[in-house]
Amino acid sequence: MTDRGRGRTRARSSDAPTARLAAQFRRRRAYFTDDRRAIVDLNLRSLAIVDLNLRSLRTACLLVGLLALLFIILTCVLTPGWLPDPVHFLLVSVCALVAAMCPWARRALSERPWTAAALCLGSQLVVLALVAYIDGALTPDAPGTFMQAVCIAWAAVIVLPWAMPVGVVMVAEVAYVALSFACKDFALAQRDLYGALVGASASVIVSQLATNLRVADFEARERYRNLSLRDGLLGIYNKGALTALAQRYFESVAPHVTACVIMLDIDDFKAVNDRFGHDTGDEVLRALAGALQRCFRSSDAVGRFGGDEFMVLARGLTDPRVIAGKLDAVRLQLEGRCEKLVGQRVECSAGAVILRDADATYETAFRQADEALYAAKRAGKARVVIQEFCPPAPVRERRASTADAAASPCNGEDGA
């Protein structure tokens, strides 16, 4: 089969209904699970989803409670002699109670999204059960009027994986139809059955449309957020995002920081740009970024600090031999890739500072890693200098002589 034929086959297979359905399920799974975990890693632990669920729950309960109260008042006015049943007041009370609980629940359940989801589903089930009883059993001489509106409205405002709210609606509709056939004339029960089929179908459609819109909005916000965090050329963290991430990490574990901060840059990168052009220079930058991503762990933060300068924050990495081995592998991969690109070796230098349970700020660690990088440059380039973190001296000790400072073990350098 030709490449063109294979391309058509791939296009046809990706356009198949099953493929589109599978892609839709993957998007939803990312929205409700995978991306939620990524947000947890960035200290955004699905608070937006929990808050939206509970805000929506409050809105739904207030809406249903107000409609039920309006229904009671209008029926009393338009139907002399009609008296509300205690179930009517129970429905209004339940809606008011849940709506009043939501502000507290948003604070208490912000770190427990599944508990918040259970609260939403439980409230939906109780409210729909009361509405089904009112429309199915308490109005034996009239078709149901309230049940389908509640089902459709609830499906539109609650944000949960599709099987959960739709499943509750289906259970409530079955119970409603059963009550209608048990308590009403057969003709009225048939009308309720037809209304239940229409209401359940509309609930599914509305729920899917609302969820699709929310998924599309979520993905758009994620793309925008990633653009603001990533370097447009290399796809790794940009300076602002990397600095913010490193500062949050140092602050979260202070005063017991255990990590390695590494600074790298490409030796004589300006000469590469001048001789081979900026497009080739961009490929060299991509080669170094790719080597860093391959040689360091996925949990390590790799970013472009500016120009041809890169930084790595490796949390928990304190073994100098492992660090040196990783940086040597980066250098070898860069050299091998650049020999194919430009026909000559392009090398890089690196400086690293190791923090072992240190009381340190990001700024201090970065400064020492940058000094280690410049020490590697002064040693002849294509070098790696690894140093232990040296706590800054108190102010009174900084008045010591330059000779004493030079003799400090913190100024020692390890070349590799």
Side-chain angles (χ1 to χ4, degrees):
M1 182 183 293
T2 65
D3 291 340
R4 183 178 300 175
R6 282 195 294 270
R8 284 198 299 268
T9 301
R10 284 194 295 270
R12 285 196 298 270
S13 63
S14 64
D15 290 338
T18 54
R20 290 199 299 269
L21 186 62
Q24 181 69 14
F25 275 111
R26 284 196 297 271
R27 291 176 63 212
R28 291 186 175 220
R29 193 182 309 117
Y31 176 48
F32 287 111
T33 57
D34 297 341
D35 280 299
R36 179 173 61 82
R37 295 192 186 99
I39 293 170
V40 172
D41 293 338
L42 295 173
N43 292 328
L44 297 176
R45 184 185 174 87
S46 68
L47 290 176
I49 296 177
V50 173
D51 188 62
L52 181 58
N53 275 339
L54 296 175
R55 284 181 183 272
S56 300
L57 177 62
R58 189 182 189 192
T59 301
C61 287
L62 286 173
L63 182 62
V64 173
L66 290 173
L67 287 176
L69 192 59
L70 180 62
F71 168 78
I72 293 171
I73 294 172
L74 288 176
T75 307
C76 288
V77 172
L78 298 176
T79 309
W82 182 85
L83 294 175
D85 190 270
V87 178
H88 291 96
F89 294 110
L90 179 61
L91 173 61
V92 174
S93 301
V94 167
C95 290
L97 177 63
V98 174
M101 282 177 49
C102 283
W104 166 83
R106 277 162 48 200
R107 295 188 297 270
L109 303 181
S110 62
E111 296 295 327
R112 294 187 288 174
W114 288 110
T115 306
L119 174 63
C120 291
L121 289 174
S123 302
Q124 181 185 15
L125 186 59
V126 171
V127 170
L128 288 180
L130 292 173
V131 174
Y133 181 78
I134 291 171
D135 260 10
L138 293 185
T139 55
D141 300 325
T145 56
F146 198 34
M147 180 69 180
Q148 308 316 321
V150 172
C151 288
I152 296 171
W154 207 289
V157 297
I158 297 298
V159 187
L160 292 168
W162 72 273
M164 293 182 181
V166 170
V168 172
V169 167
M170 295 303 175
V171 170
E173 292 283 20
V174 170
Y176 164 66
V177 171
L179 285 171
S180 294
F181 275 99
C183 303
K184 296 184 180 182
D185 179 74
F186 185 74
L188 288 176
Q190 284 184 313
R191 292 182 62 180
D192 286 348
L193 173 60
Y194 176 76
L197 293 174
V198 173
S201 301
S203 297
V204 172
I205 294 171
V206 169
S207 175
Q208 299 314 294
L209 288 175
T211 302
N212 286 342
L213 290 173
R214 290 185 176 107
V215 170
D217 177 68
F218 172 78
E219 290 173 341
R221 286 187 284 109
E222 284 295 293
R223 284 193 295 270
Y224 179 79
R225 186 176 64 83
N226 283 330
L227 286 174
S228 68
L229 296 177
R230 299 287 172 175
D231 182 88
L233 176 66
L234 307 179
I236 57 178
Y237 285 118
N238 58 33
K239 179 179 178 179
L242 186 62
T243 300
L245 188 152
Q247 287 174 334
R248 285 198 301 269
Y249 171 71
F250 272 73
E251 290 169 2
S252 67
V253 298
H256 304 287
V257 181
T258 299
C260 179
V261 178
I262 304 168
M263 297 295 297
L264 308 93
D265 75 358
I266 299 171
D267 296 331
D268 301 316
F269 182 66
K270 184 178 184 301
V272 174
N273 264 339
D274 292 344
R275 180 177 178 184
F276 299 102
H278 289 281
D279 288 342
T280 301
D282 289 346
E283 290 299 322
V284 172
L285 292 173
R286 290 191 185 98
L288 180 53
L292 288 170
Q293 289 177 300
R294 286 188 294 272
C295 294
F296 284 88
R297 305 165 297 182
S298 59
S299 59
D300 298 332
V302 176
R304 183 184 183 185
F305 210 72
D308 63 321
E309 198 167 40
F310 294 75
M311 188 178 102
V312 180
L313 171 64
R315 287 166 282 198
L317 182 59
T318 58
D319 189 333
R321 293 171 298 178
V322 174
I323 297 167
K326 288 179 178 292
L327 292 175
D328 284 341
V330 168
R331 290 165 53 205
L332 289 174
Q333 289 189 27
L334 175 66
E335 292 170 7
R337 174 62 179 156
C338 290
E339 283 183 353
K340 296 178 182 178
L341 281 173
V342 299
Q344 69 179 47
R345 294 174 62 185
V346 175
E347 299 172 323
C348 67
S349 299
V353 60
I354 299 173
L355 300 98
R356 306 176 192 271
D357 199 31
D359 183 3
T361 64
Y362 158 73
E363 290 78 11
T364 305
F366 162 73
R367 194 178 304 115
Q368 294 191 21
D370 202 41
E371 291 169 357
L373 171 62
Y374 280 100
K377 291 286 191 182
R378 290 193 299 270
K381 302 181 181 180
R383 301 289 184 92
V384 173
V385 171
I386 302 173
Q387 297 179 348
E388 295 287 336
F389 175 75
C390 181
V395 174
R396 62 179 181 274
E397 293 182 11
R398 292 176 190 166
R399 298 173 182 170
S401 66
T402 304
D404 290 341
S408 171
C410 292
N411 291 322
E413 299 178 359
D414 295 323

